[in-house]
Amino acid sequence: QVQLVESGGGLVQAGGSLRLSCVVSGILLRSDVMGWYRQAPGKQRELVAAIASGSITNYADSVKGRFTISRDNAKNTAYLQMNSLKPEDTAVYYCNVARTNGGIYWGQGTQVTVSS
């Protein structure tokens, strides 16, 4: 069974930085895609960033140049470095794993609040 645990959320002023971590328990293959999503109140969950094997990355336009996704396969961990945070980045951030066998897994979420 795959379980995901996020950490690193919190309250930060606009312009500040946070680093989210997602530790995956269970088998994680290099070919599995890891991603970060977020959901703000009253809005749909949206993709923030994803990273596939070979360090291929994809970012939402709203975070390009400010956020960086990375992964450490030896530690079964994904990271999201968030710089130059804006109030509109406020949301619950969820870690996601999309397995090559079709399985989809989610973490419990971590709150990120950016004050103006």
Side-chain angles (χ1 to χ4, degrees):
Q1 186 175 358
V2 177
Q3 292 185 324
L4 286 66
V5 178
E6 303 104 331
S7 62
L11 173 64
V12 64
Q13 288 188 333
S17 298
L18 284 173
R19 188 193 196 204
L20 305 183
S21 298
C22 172
V23 179
V24 180
S25 62
I27 296 174
L28 181 67
L29 304 177
R30 291 178 182 269
S31 55
D32 295 336
V33 178
M34 300 188 72
W36 288 95
Y37 289 70
R38 68 186 180 187
Q39 187 167 19
K43 294 187 177 182
Q44 290 188 329
R45 191 173 297 189
E46 62 176 359
L47 175 67
V48 176
I51 184 166
S53 59
S55 299
I56 299 171
T57 58
N58 181 41
Y59 294 94
D61 288 342
S62 59
V63 306
K64 283 181 181 177
R66 299 189 297 122
F67 291 11
T68 302
I69 188 171
S70 60
R71 64 191 284 177
D72 185 333
N73 292 316
K75 296 181 178 180
N76 273 16
T77 301
Y79 305 96
L80 185 67
Q81 178 67 43
M82 305 185 294
N83 299 328
S84 302
L85 282 161
K86 304 176 182 180
E88 51 263 44
D89 294 318
T90 295
V92 178
Y93 283 70
Y94 297 90
C95 182
N96 167 276
V97 168
R99 302 292 306 273
T100 52
N101 65 6
I104 304 293
Y105 301 91
W106 294 93
Q108 82 287 353
T110 185
Q111 176 70 45
V112 171
T113 303
V114 184
S115 63
S116 57

